[in-house]
Amino acid sequence: MSEKNFLTASDVATYMGISVPTAYKIIRQLNNELKKEGYITISGKISRIYFEKKIYGISA
């Protein structure tokens, strides 16, 4: 996966081997978590760093 700052639903779907609609649900859930913490989010995209942290437990 290329080193983009933000991943789209298509990127997440390909990366996880899931459908695009399911990827949108995951992105929505992660963006809601970020909003609760006070971060600005982009609908339909997720921070690559946050995504990897949540999937792998990697700390940035």
Side-chain angles (χ1 to χ4, degrees):
M1 184 170 280
S2 65
E3 293 297 315
K4 298 181 195 178
N5 288 328
F6 288 89
L7 301 175
T8 64
S10 179
D11 295 329
V12 171
T14 300
Y15 194 74
M16 297 182 76
I18 58 176
S19 68
V20 172
T22 301
Y24 273 113
K25 289 178 186 176
I26 291 170
I27 289 171
R28 190 175 308 116
Q29 177 185 346
L30 295 176
N31 276 338
N32 285 337
E33 291 175 11
L34 286 169
K35 283 179 188 177
K36 286 180 185 176
E37 294 179 22
Y39 291 97
I40 296 170
T41 61
I42 301 170
S43 196
K45 295 187 178 191
I46 188 66
S47 161
R48 179 184 53 81
I49 293 170
Y50 189 71
F51 174 77
E52 289 178 353
K53 177 181 173 188
K54 294 300 283 191
I55 297 300
Y56 299 115
I58 298 169
S59 54

